[in-house]
C-alpha cells in the first residue's frame, strides 16, 4: 500500500460506503505498525488502533479531525515526553514536515517502549506518521554491545595470551597479552593473517621451541590439520617459558591459550631442590627423627634414628609398628638392660595420650644417653625426636663437679666475695663475707638486694652514725664512678677493703679483705719512717717537716722559733766502754730528759747517733738559752749505767727564726755552726749562733781548700824535737812534727790544720807523707829513734800496718828506731780494732807510746788494754806544776804508774830547770821540751845532736 492509498482510505472513512470503510479500518487496526494520517492543516484524517495503543492514547481524544498539536499534548499528558517540551517539539516537527522530506526519529515512551517514528509528506498535501515498536531490537542491540565490550575487556585483561583462528587458518582475534608475551608486531599479527605467517613472525622474534624453527612450523601445521589438541612448552625470546594449549572449535577454527609458566617452573624447581635438601638434612641430622601414623606405624625415619636403635633400612620400612621397632632394636642390643619393650611402648602411649612432649632420658648401651620426645600431630600420628645427650650429660656432670670445686674454693677463700647482678642483687657470696660482717644467712642469700644487706648490717651495729639507706645511696653513687676500691671502717675498729670489678655481662664482683692488721702495720711503717726506733722521737725527716711548718707559721703569723742542736760529749766513750746496750739506754735517758723539759708544742727529735734537736716556740733567744742551760746542767748529772756512775755532757748550738733566717736548711746550718763553737768552747756548753760564725766557717772552708793542695804543692816540711833520757841526759831520739808553710798565710799551726785534716780525711795521705819522710830523714841517724804522731783517723783507714812496713823498708830504718805516738782519742772510736792494729805494729818491732796522757776521760783503762812502751804526760800538767797541786799529783801518779808497769814516762813541755828537776824527782824517765830544744828542721838535726851530746858531757 502507498501513501496515496492511505489517504484514500482515510477519506473513505469519512464519507465512503460503510462496508469498505469498516474493512479498511479493520485492516488498519490489525497492522503491526501504528498509522496516523494528517491533512495539510495538520488534522487527523486517518488513525489506527495500533497507533493509539502504542502511545496509550484515548480514541475519544485522538480521532479524525484532532489537530497534531492536540495529539502531541495528549501524548505528553500520557507521560510520553515532558509537557514542557510540547511547544518546541510541535514547532520542530511541523517545520520538518514543511521541509517536504521524510524523516525518522525514535522516542522512548512512558510505557518504556522504544518507538521508531517515520514521518513522511503525502503528495497533494498532508502527511502521515508510521510508528514501529523497536523496543526488543534496541534491547538486543544493547545487550550485544555490552557483551562485545565485556568480551573485549576480558580478552584485553586476560593474564594469558590468546589467539583464535578460523577454519581457514586465519586469525580471528588475538589479545595484547599474546602479542606482548612473544614481543610480536600488532601490524603483522592481526585478524585475517594466515597461521603460517604468524608462526614465521613468532620465530623471527627469537621465540623458539625444543626443535628447529622449520620443524616446529611443520609440526604446528600438522597438529592443526589433525585437529590434535596439544600442550606445547616454548621458550620466549627472553628465556621465559610459555605453555601453549590449543583447543579446536566445532566450526573448524581453534583457540590457543598461552600461559607464562616461567615462575611456576622456577618455583617447582626450587621446591624440588628444597625437597632434596630437606631429605638430605633429614638424613644427615644429628638428631634421630621418626614420623608415625595414628596407628603407631612408622611412616618415615632418618639414618640417625636407625643408628641409635641399631636398625637396618629393611627393619624400618614404612608401616612397621612401633612395638616391632622396639623389639627389634632390643634384639639388636641397642637398649640398656633396665627397660622392657612393653614398658617403653606403654610410656610412649601414655605420653601421646597426655600430649606430653617433654624430653625423657633413655639409657642405651655403652653408657649412651638419648633424650626422647613424642610430639603428637594435629592431623593424627606423631613425630618422635631422639637426641644423643651423652656429651651434654657428661658436661653437666663436669660442670657440677666444677661448681662443687668453685663452691669449695669460694668458701675457703680468706677474702670475702660477693657477686652482684646489675640491679645490685646477690648472685652468689661466700662464707667469709657473711662472717666478716656477722650477717645472717637467713637474709643474705641469692636474690637479696645490697640495700637489704646494708640495712641488716646497720641493725647489727657494724656501721656507726649512718643508716642502711644512706650507706646504700653512697654505695650506688660510688659504683657510678666505675671500678673502685673503698675502705669501710667498722664500729669495732676493723677496716674492710672493698674492691669492685665489673663483670663482663653486667653486675659486679666485690671482694672484701680485712686489712686492719695491714693498715696498722702500714701505720707503724709510716711512723717508723718518720720516727727514731730507739727513742720514738721524730727523726730528721719529720723534724725537717715540722721545722718547715713552724717556719711557715713564723713567716705568716709572726713570733719566733728556735732550733737547738745537741751533741753528746763522751758518748762514744760510754758506748765503747759499756757496750751498745748501755749506749742505747743513755740515748733513751737523754731523750726522756729532753722531752720532760720542753713545752707541749715543742718538738724533740733524734737526728742520728748522739745528735738531738729541739724546735721551741716562744720569746727567743731567751727561752732557747734558758732551755739549753737547763738541759746542759741536767745532762751533766751523773747517771747509773752498768752499776757505775757515768758522766756525759752535752753541747748545744742555737739558731733562731726569723733572726737567723726563715729557711729550714739555713737555720739548721746556723745551729750546727753554733754547736761547733759550743764544742770548741770545751764541751758542756751552749752557744747562740752569731753571724761571725759564718765568717769563721768560711775561713775554715778556705783553709780546707788550701790544705787540699798543700801536699802536692810541697808546702809541708817536718821539724824534729829532741827527746832525752833523764837518768843519763842522753839524747834518745827526735819527735817529728809537721809544719805547713803556706805561700800567703805563712806558717799555719798544726793545732789549726790537723783537726781540719782529720775532719775531711786529708790526714791519711798527709800522715803517710809524714811517716815516710820521717823514716827517710831518721835513717842516717846513728841509733836514734824517730817518733811520729798517728791520728785516730789513720787507724780507721785501711792499710796502716802495710804503709808503716813499706815506709820502714823504703827508708831502710830498723823498726825498733821508729816510735808511733797515739792519743786516747784513737782508742775511743773502736778500741778493739785499734788495739789489734797496735799489736800488729808492735809485731813489726815498732815502739808504741801513749801521747797526751792524762787529759782524757779514761786514760788509765787504755793502759790495761795495750802494753805501751811509753807514756807521754801531757804538757798541760808540766806547764802548771808551779801553780797546780793537781798537776803535781797527776805527774807523780803517772810517773809511779809507769814505774810500776815498767813503762817509760816522758814529761812533755819541759821548759825550765825546775820543771826538769821536778819531773826527774817524780820518777819520769824522759823529757821533751824547749829546755832541751825546740823542734828544728832536718838540716839542723846534726847540730842539735852535737849540742845535746856536749850538754850531756858537761852534765
Ligand atoms: N797527727 C799528727 N799530729 C801532729 C803532727 N805534727 C804535730 N802534730 C800535733 O799537732 C799538735 C801541735 O803540735 P805543735 O804545734 O807541733 O806542738 C808540738 C811542740 O811544738 C809542742 N812543744 C814541745 N815542747 C814544748 C814546750 O816546751 N813548750 C810548748 N809550749 N810547746 C812545746 O808540743 C807539741 C808536741 O806535742 P805532742 O805531739 O803531743 O808531743 C800536737 O798535738 C801535735 O801532736 C803530725 O805530723 N801528725
Amino acid at each position: 500500500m502507498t501513501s496515496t492509498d492511505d489517504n484514500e482510505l482515510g477519506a473513505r472513512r469519512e464519507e465512503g460506503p460503510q462496508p469498505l470503510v469498516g474493512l479498511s479500518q479493520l485492516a488498519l487496526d490489525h497492522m503491526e505498525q501504528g498509522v496516523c494520517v494528517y491533512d495539510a492543516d495538520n488534522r487527523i484524517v486517518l488513525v489506527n488502533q495500533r497507533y493509539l495503543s502504542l502511545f496509550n492514547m484515548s480514541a475519544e481524544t485522538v480521532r479524525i479531525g484532532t489537530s497534531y498539536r492536540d495529539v502531541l499534548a495528549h501524548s505528553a499528558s500520557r507521560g510520553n515526553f515532558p509537557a514542557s517540551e510540547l511547544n518546541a517539539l510541535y514547532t520542530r516537527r511541523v517545520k520538518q514536515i514543511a521541509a517536504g522530506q521524510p524523516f525518522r526519529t525514535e522516542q522512548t515512551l512512558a510505557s518504556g517502549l522504544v518507538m521508531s517514528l517515520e514521518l513522511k509528506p503525502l503528495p497533494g498535501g498532508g502527511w502521515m506518521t508510521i510508528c514501529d515498536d523497536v523496543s526488543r531490537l534496541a534491547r538486543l542491540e544493547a545487550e550485544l554491545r555490552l557483551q562485545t565490550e565485556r568480551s573485549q575487556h576480558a580478552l584485553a585483561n586476560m593474564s594469558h595470551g590468546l589467539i583464535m583462528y578460523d577454519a581457514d587458518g586465519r586469525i580471528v582475534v588475538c589479545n595484547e597479552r599474546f602479542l606482548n608475551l612473544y614481543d610480536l608486531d600488532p601490524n603483522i599479527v592481526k585478524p585475517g593473517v594466515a597461521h603460517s605467517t604468524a608462526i614465521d613472525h613468532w620465530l623471527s622474534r627469537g621465540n623458539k621451541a625444543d626443535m628447529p624453527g622449520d620443524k616446529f612450523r611443520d609440526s604446528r601445521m600438522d597438529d592443526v590439520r589433525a585437529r590434535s589438541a596439544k600442550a606445547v612448552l616454548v621458550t620466549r625470546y627472553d628465556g621465559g617459558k610459555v605453555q601453549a594449549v590449543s583447543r579446536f572449535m566445532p566450526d573448524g577454527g581453534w583457540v590457543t591459550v598461552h600461559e607464562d609458566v616461567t615462575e611456576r617452573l622456577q618455583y617447582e624447581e626450587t621446591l624440588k631442590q628444597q625437597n632434596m635438601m630437606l631429605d638430605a638434612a633429614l638424613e644427615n641430622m644429628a638428631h634421630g627423627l621418626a614420623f608415625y601414623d595414628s596407628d603407631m606405624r612408622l611412616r618415615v625415619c632418618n639414618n640417625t634414628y636407625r643408628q641409635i636403635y641399631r636398625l637396618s633400612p629393611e627393619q624400618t620400612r614404612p608401616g612397621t609398628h612401633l612395638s616391632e621397632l622396639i623389639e627389634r632394636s632390643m634384639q639388636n642390643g641397642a637398649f640398656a638392660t633396665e627397660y622392657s619393650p612393653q614398658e617403653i611402648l606403654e610410656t610412649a602411649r601414655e605420653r601421646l595420650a597426655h600430649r606430653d612432649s617433654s624430653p625423657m632420658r633413655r639409657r642405651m648401651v655403652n653408657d649412651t644417653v638419648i633424650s626422647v620426645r613424642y610430639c603428637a600431630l594435629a592431623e593424627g600420628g606423631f613425630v618422635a625426636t631422639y637426641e644423643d645427650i651423652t656429651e651434654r650429660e657428661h658436661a653437666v656432670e663436669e660442670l657440677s663437679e666444677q661448681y662443687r670445686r668453685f663452691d669449695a674454693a669460694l668458701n675457703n677463700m680468706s677474702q670475702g666475695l660477693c657477686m652482684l647482678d646489675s640491679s645490685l642483687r646477690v648472685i652468689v657470696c661466700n662464707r667469709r663475707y657473711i662472717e666478716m660482717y656477722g650477717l645472717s644467712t637467713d637474709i643474705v642469700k641469692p636474690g637479696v638486694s645490697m640495700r637489704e644487706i646494708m640495712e641488716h648490717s646497720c641493725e647489727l651495729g657494724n656501721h656507726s652514725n649512718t643508716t642502711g639507706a644512706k650507706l646504700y645511696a653512697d654505695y650506688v653513687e660510688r659504683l657510678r664512678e666505675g671500678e673502685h676500691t673503698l675502705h669501710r671502717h667498722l664500729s669495732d675498729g676493723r677496716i674492710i677493703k672493698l674492691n669492685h670489678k665489673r663483670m663482663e655481662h653486667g653486675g659486679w664482683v666485690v671482694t672484701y679483705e680485712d686489712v686492719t692488721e695491714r693498715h696498722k702495720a702500714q701505720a707503724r711503717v709510716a711512723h717508723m719512717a718518720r720516727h727514731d726506733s730507739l727513742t720514738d722521737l721524730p727523726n730528721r725527716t719529720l723534724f725537717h717537716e715540722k721545722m718547715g711548718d713552724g717556719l711557715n707559721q713564723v713567716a705568716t703569723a709572726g713570733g719566733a722559733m728556735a732550733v737547738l742542736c745537741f751533741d753528746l760529749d763522751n758518748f762514744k766513750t760510754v758506748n765503747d766502754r759499756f757496750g751498745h746496750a748501755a749506749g742505747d739506754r743513755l740515748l733513751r735517758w737523754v731523750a726522756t730528759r729532753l722531752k720532760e723539759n720542753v713545752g707541749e708544742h715543742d718538738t724533740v727529735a733524734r737526728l742520728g747517733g748522739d745528735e738531738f734537736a729541739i724546735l721551741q716556740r716562744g720569746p727567743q733567744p731567751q727561752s732557747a738559752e734558758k732551755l739549753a742551760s737547763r738541759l746542759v746542767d741536767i745532762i751533766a748529772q751523773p747517771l747509773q749505767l752498768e752499776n757505775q756512775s757515768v758522766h756525759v755532757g752535752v753541747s748545744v748550738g742555737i739558731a733562731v727564726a726569723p733572726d737567723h733566717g726563715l729557711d729550714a736548711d739555713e737555720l739548721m746550718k746556723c745551729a750546727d755552726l753554733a754547736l761547733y763553737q759550743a764544742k770548741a768552747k770545751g764541751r758542756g756548753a751552749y752557744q747562740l749562733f752569731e753571724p761571725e760564725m759564718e765568717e769563721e766557717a768560711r775561713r775554715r772552708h778556705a783553709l780546707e781548700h788550701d790544705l787540699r793542695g798543700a801536699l802536692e804543692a810541697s808546702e809541708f816540711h817536718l821539724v824534729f824535737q829532741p827527746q832525752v833520757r833523764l837518768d843519763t841526759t842522753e839524747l834518745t831520739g827526735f819527735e817529728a812534727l809537721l809544719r805547713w808553710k803556706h805561700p800567703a798565710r805563712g806558717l799555719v799551726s798544726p793545732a789549726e790544720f790537723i783537726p781540719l785534716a782529720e775532719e775531711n780525711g786529708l790526714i791519711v795521705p798527709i800522715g803517710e807523707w809524714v811517716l815516710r819522710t820521717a823514716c827517710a830523714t831518721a835513717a842516717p841517724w846513728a841509733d836514734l829513734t824517730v817518733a811520729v804522731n798517728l791520728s785516730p783517723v789513720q787507724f780507721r783507714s785501711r792499710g796502716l800496718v802495710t804503709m808503716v812496713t813499706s815506709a820502714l823498708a823504703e827508708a831502710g830504718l830498723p823498726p825498733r828506731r821508729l816510735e808511733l805516738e797515739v792519743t786516747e782519742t784513737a782508742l775511743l772510736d773502736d778500741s778493739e780494732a785499734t788495739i789489734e792494729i797496735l799489736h800488729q805494729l808492735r809485731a813489726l818491732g815498732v815502739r808504741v807510746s801513749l801521747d797526751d796522757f792524762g787529759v782524757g776521760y779514761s786514760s788509765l783503762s787504755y793502759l790495761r788494754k795495750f802494753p805501751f812502751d811509753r807514756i807521754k804526760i801531757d804538757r798541760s800538767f808540766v806547764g802548771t806544776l808551779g801553780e797546780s797541786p793537781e798537776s803535781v799529783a797527776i805527774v807523780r801518779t803517772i810517773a809511779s804508774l809507769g814505774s810500776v808497769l815498767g813503762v817509760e814516762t816522758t814529761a812533755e813541755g819541759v821548759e825550765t830547770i825546775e820543771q826538769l828537776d821536778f819531773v826527774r824527782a817524780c820518777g819520769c824517765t824522759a823529757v821533751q821540751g824547749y829546755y832541751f830544744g825546740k823542734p828544728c828542721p832536718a838540716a839542723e838535726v846534726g847540730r842539735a845532736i852535737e849540742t845535746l851530746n856536749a850538754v850531756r858531757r858537761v852534765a
Side-chain angles (χ1 to χ4, degrees):
M1 185 182 290
T2 64
S3 57
T4 313
D5 294 337
D6 290 342
N7 288 340
E8 282 174 359
L9 188 63
R12 275 191 206 112
R13 267 189 99 164
E14 290 286 305
E15 63 200 48
Q18 277 306 314
L20 186 61
V21 169
L23 205 62
S24 300
Q25 188 65 44
L26 195 66
L28 271 174
D29 287 342
H30 283 87
M31 274 179 74
E32 256 312 291
Q33 296 166 310
V35 177
C36 188
V37 181
Y38 292 87
D39 61 14
D41 295 328
N42 294 326
R43 288 188 179 276
I44 294 174
V45 288
L46 188 72
V47 61
N48 69 356
Q49 191 56 42
R50 180 68 177 151
Y51 181 86
L52 294 175
S53 63
L54 282 174
F55 286 93
N56 189 25
M57 288 193 287
S58 158
E60 297 290 312
T61 307
V62 179
R63 55 194 173 91
I64 295 182
T66 305
S67 69
Y68 180 47
R69 183 181 179 88
D70 287 344
V71 173
L72 286 179
H74 181 58
S75 182
S77 72
R78 294 294 177 155
N80 291 325
F81 63 91
S84 57
E85 294 174 8
L86 173 65
N87 289 336
L89 181 66
Y90 175 74
T91 308
R92 192 169 67 246
R93 290 270 175 88
V94 169
K95 209 173 172 181
Q96 284 172 320
I97 293 161
Q101 290 298 321
F103 64 94
R104 272 184 183 278
T105 184
E106 262 183 20
Q107 186 181 353
T108 303
L109 304 182
S111 59
L113 295 178
V114 179
M115 208 56 63
S116 168
L117 296 170
E118 188 181 7
L119 283 84
K120 52 183 179 183
L122 295 175
W127 54 281
M128 71 181 292
T129 174
I130 301 167
C131 312
D132 238 343
D133 180 2
V134 293
S135 303
R136 193 166 157 266
L137 195 65
R139 211 164 37 247
L140 282 174
E141 272 177 10
E143 271 173 24
L144 194 63
R145 208 166 36 249
L146 188 66
Q147 196 76 19
T148 307
E149 274 171 15
R150 277 183 188 151
S151 297
Q152 277 172 352
H153 186 73
L155 209 59
N157 290 288
M158 264 176 81
S159 61
H160 297 177
L162 182 139
I163 187 159
M164 183 188 277
Y165 291 91
D166 62 15
D168 297 332
R170 295 199 172 271
I171 295 171
V172 175
V173 68
C174 75
N175 68 359
E176 212 173 305
R177 175 70 177 140
F178 173 78
L179 296 170
N180 292 340
L181 210 52
Y182 296 111
D183 190 29
L184 301 177
D185 185 346
N187 294 318
I188 297 173
V189 180
K190 59 183 180 184
V193 168
H195 184 204
S196 59
T197 308
I199 292 176
D200 287 344
H201 179 62
W202 185 87
L203 287 167
S204 74
R205 301 302 263 188
N207 303 298
K208 58 191 176 204
D210 56 355
M211 60 184 84
D214 291 349
K215 212 169 165 198
F216 175 68
R217 191 194 307 104
D218 296 346
S219 157
R220 289 305 287 163
M221 302 307 267
D222 288 348
D223 288 342
V224 169
R225 268 193 293 277
R227 295 180 67 80
S228 155
K230 260 190 172 177
V232 182
L233 187 67
V234 296
T235 306
R236 297 183 340 154
Y237 61 95
D238 60 358
K241 297 285 181 188
V242 178
Q243 191 174 49
V245 179
S246 302
R247 254 197 209 98
F248 287 87
M249 294 180 294
D251 66 354
W254 75 94
V255 177
T256 308
V257 175
H258 299 256
E259 185 187 358
D260 186 341
V261 292
T262 315
E263 279 185 14
R264 197 180 76 200
L265 291 181
Q266 277 170 357
Y267 173 71
E268 281 172 4
E269 182 58 26
T270 309
L271 212 61
K272 203 165 114 192
Q273 293 292 334
Q274 276 179 356
N275 281 339
M276 275 164 62
M277 286 196 301
L278 212 62
D279 285 349
L282 200 67
E283 276 313 307
N284 291 294
M285 263 172 77
H287 292 193
L289 194 80
F291 287 84
Y292 299 87
D293 64 14
S294 46
D295 292 335
M296 297 185 116
R297 291 187 179 280
L298 183 67
R299 286 169 71 181
V300 66
C301 69
N302 69 357
N303 202 34
T304 310
Y305 167 81
R306 283 191 286 269
Q307 281 172 356
I308 291 171
Y309 289 100
R310 298 188 170 189
L311 293 167
S312 65
E314 292 71 37
Q315 290 173 321
T316 51
R317 283 210 183 89
T320 312
H321 197 271
L322 177 60
S323 58
E324 205 176 326
L325 292 165
I326 294 168
E327 267 172 29
R328 280 181 187 163
S329 56
M330 282 216 158
Q331 284 159 12
N332 295 344
F335 282 97
T337 47
E338 61 200 70
Y339 307 104
S340 73
Q342 295 76 16
E343 200 183 324
I344 296 171
L345 188 65
E346 203 44 48
T347 307
R349 280 210 173 101
E350 266 179 35
R351 285 187 156 247
L352 287 165
H354 293 100
R355 303 229 155 228
D356 181 358
S357 59
S358 62
M360 63 177 164
R361 293 165 76 258
R362 282 253 180 271
R363 204 159 271 288
M364 313 302 280
V365 287
N366 301 334
D367 274 345
T368 309
V369 183
I370 302 294
S371 169
V372 182
R373 277 172 198 263
Y374 295 116
C375 186
L377 299 172
E379 62 271 22
F382 63 96
V383 179
T385 58
Y386 308 87
E387 186 185 358
D388 188 337
I389 56 167
T390 316
E391 276 187 21
R392 198 195 304 162
E393 288 271 301
H394 287 167
V396 168
E397 274 168 27
E398 218 164 90
L399 215 61
S400 307
E401 181 55 29
Q402 266 180 17
Y403 181 77
R404 272 194 294 279
R405 284 195 209 123
F406 170 72
D407 198 46
L410 197 68
N411 283 316
N412 285 295
M413 274 172 72
S414 59
Q415 287 188 350
L417 183 136
C418 203
M419 284 167 78
L420 303 172
D421 65 15
S422 48
S423 5
L424 302 186
R425 288 185 178 278
V426 171
I427 299 168
V428 69
C429 69
N430 70 355
R431 199 179 301 137
R432 181 76 186 108
Y433 166 68
I434 288 173
E435 286 168 359
M436 223 174 236
Y437 287 91
L439 304 170
S440 163
T441 47
D442 291 339
I443 291 174
V444 183
K445 46 192 169 189
V448 68
S449 79
M450 194 35 87
R451 185 195 177 105
E452 287 168 82
I453 295 178
M454 285 178 172
E455 278 165 359
H456 171 49
S457 188
C458 277
E459 278 162 18
L460 293 171
N462 283 327
H463 315 273
S464 37
N465 304 325
T466 189
T467 62
K470 168 105 180 47
L471 209 58
Y472 181 73
D474 292 346
Y475 190 60
V476 171
E477 197 56 40
R478 282 300 305 269
L479 285 177
R480 276 203 193 103
E481 293 168 18
E483 296 191 347
H484 68 279
T485 299
L486 64 87
H487 289 84
R488 283 226 185 289
H489 292 257
L490 303 188
S491 12
D492 61 5
R494 281 181 301 140
I495 304 167
I496 310 293
K497 179 179 162 191
L498 280 72
N499 190 29
H500 297 81
K501 290 252 172 253
R502 274 186 207 284
M503 289 199 288
E504 201 182 331
H505 302 295
W508 299 89
V509 177
V510 194
T511 54
Y512 301 81
E513 193 183 351
D514 187 337
V515 292
T516 318
E517 285 312 314
R518 195 194 303 166
H519 269 235
K520 281 184 187 163
Q522 280 168 353
R524 272 198 299 277
V525 169
H527 182 85
M528 277 163 68
R530 290 146 63 92
H531 289 79
D532 167 46
S533 58
L534 180 69
T535 59
D536 203 34
L537 290 176
N539 61 12
R540 193 182 285 276
T541 309
L542 183 53
F543 184 74
H544 207 267
E545 283 173 19
K546 294 222 173 223
M547 196 149 84
D549 295 344
L551 290 172
N552 277 342
Q553 225 176 335
V554 170
T556 53
M561 183 182 77
V563 180
L564 297 87
C565 284
F566 296 76
D567 195 90
L568 293 185
D569 306 329
N570 297 330
F571 172 71
K572 285 193 177 63
T573 311
V574 172
N575 214 21
D576 190 63
R577 190 168 154 209
F578 298 104
H580 287 285
D584 287 351
R585 274 206 301 285
L586 169 62
L587 291 170
R588 280 199 288 267
W589 178 82
V590 171
T592 310
R593 300 290 82 79
L594 298 185
K595 277 196 284 186
E596 279 171 355
N597 285 281
V598 297
E600 59 173 326
H601 299 299
D602 299 338
T603 302
V604 179
R606 183 180 170 216
L607 305 183
D610 59 350
E611 290 176 55
F612 291 84
I614 290 176
L615 281 180
Q616 189 200 38
R617 300 304 303 263
Q620 300 300 357
Q622 305 87 320
S623 303
E625 285 184 314
K626 208 167 141 193
L627 176 63
S629 166
R630 189 164 70 242
L631 286 169
V632 164
D633 289 345
I634 289 170
I635 290 167
Q637 299 298 312
L639 110 122
Q640 285 298 114
L641 273 182
E642 305 295 317
N643 294 324
Q644 286 193 46
S645 185
V646 174
H647 290 264
V648 281
V650 72
S651 303
V652 189
I654 305 167
V656 172
D659 298 355
H660 305 140
L662 277 168
D663 175 76
D665 290 336
E666 188 60 32
L667 210 59
M668 272 309 272
K669 200 178 90 188
C670 294
D672 275 340
L673 288 172
L675 178 62
Y676 188 86
Q677 282 299 314
K679 281 184 188 168
K681 269 190 197 172
R683 304 179 183 248
Y686 68 87
Q687 174 68 51
L688 180 64
F689 171 76
E690 287 164 8
E692 301 79 58
M693 289 175 186
E694 278 187 300
E695 181 48 43
E696 171 59 22
R698 264 195 293 280
R699 205 187 62 72
R700 259 200 323 273
H701 191 72
L703 189 67
E704 186 184 333
H705 175 264
D706 290 352
L707 188 62
R708 288 184 188 278
L711 195 60
E712 212 167 295
S714 302
E715 291 170 7
F716 292 121
H717 67 273
L718 294 182
V719 290
F720 298 90
Q721 185 175 31
Q723 294 175 324
V724 176
R725 262 179 78 144
L726 263 183
D727 53 353
T728 60
T729 55
E730 180 192 356
L731 174 69
T732 54
F734 291 85
E735 180 180 358
L737 293 161
L738 180 61
R739 294 292 177 265
W740 177 21
K741 193 169 181 202
H742 186 274
R745 298 173 193 269
L747 263 179
V748 185
S749 164
E752 193 180 353
F753 73 81
I754 283 189
L756 204 59
E758 284 178 332
E759 270 175 37
N760 60 28
L762 279 171
I763 193 67
V764 175
I766 294 173
E768 183 175 347
W769 179 87
V770 170
L771 186 77
R772 290 185 187 279
T773 309
C775 289
T777 308
W781 302 341
D783 217 23
L784 291 175
T785 58
V786 66
V788 175
N789 290 285
L790 284 184
S791 159
V793 180
Q794 285 177 276
F795 279 87
R796 291 201 291 272
S797 77
R798 285 193 193 154
L800 177 62
V801 178
T802 314
M803 193 269 284
V804 172
T805 312
S806 146
L808 287 167
E810 201 177 85
L813 185 74
R816 62 180 174 79
R817 286 178 57 204
L818 175 65
E819 189 165 303
L820 296 173
E821 295 189 7
V822 296
T823 59
E824 288 174 41
T825 328
L827 295 154
L828 282 177
D829 290 351
D830 190 352
S831 63
E832 298 300 322
T834 306
I835 285 165
E836 173 56 30
I837 294 169
L838 289 177
H839 279 294
Q840 289 175 18
L841 291 170
R842 167 67 67 70
L844 293 176
V846 170
R847 293 164 61 83
V848 181
S849 61
L850 186 55
D851 201 5
D852 301 337
F853 192 81
V855 291
Y857 171 71
S858 52
S859 307
L860 284 173
S861 68
Y862 297 115
L863 292 177
R864 282 210 313 247
K865 288 191 175 178
F866 186 77
F868 289 97
D869 296 294
R870 180 189 302 276
I871 297 169
K872 293 183 78 176
I873 302 167
D874 192 74
R875 64 184 154 90
S876 61
F877 302 116
V878 176
T880 53
L881 281 174
E883 66 247 33
S884 166
E886 285 87 0
S887 297
V888 172
I890 287 168
V891 174
R892 262 201 198 114
T893 308
I894 296 169
S896 323
L897 191 68
S899 165
V900 171
L901 293 173
V903 176
E904 289 186 37
T905 45
T906 299
E908 285 195 273
V910 174
E911 295 181 0
T912 64
I913 186 72
E914 290 80 17
Q915 288 170 341
L916 180 68
D917 290 341
F918 183 80
V919 297
R920 183 183 282 130
C922 285
C924 290
T925 59
V927 288
Q928 184 181 335
Y930 293 169
Y931 180 78
F932 284 108
K934 288 192 174 178
C936 64
E940 295 173 19
V941 167
R943 197 147 38 96
I945 294 171
E946 278 173 22
T947 310
L948 281 168
N949 282 341
V951 170
R952 187 183 160 220
R953 278 195 293 277
V954 170

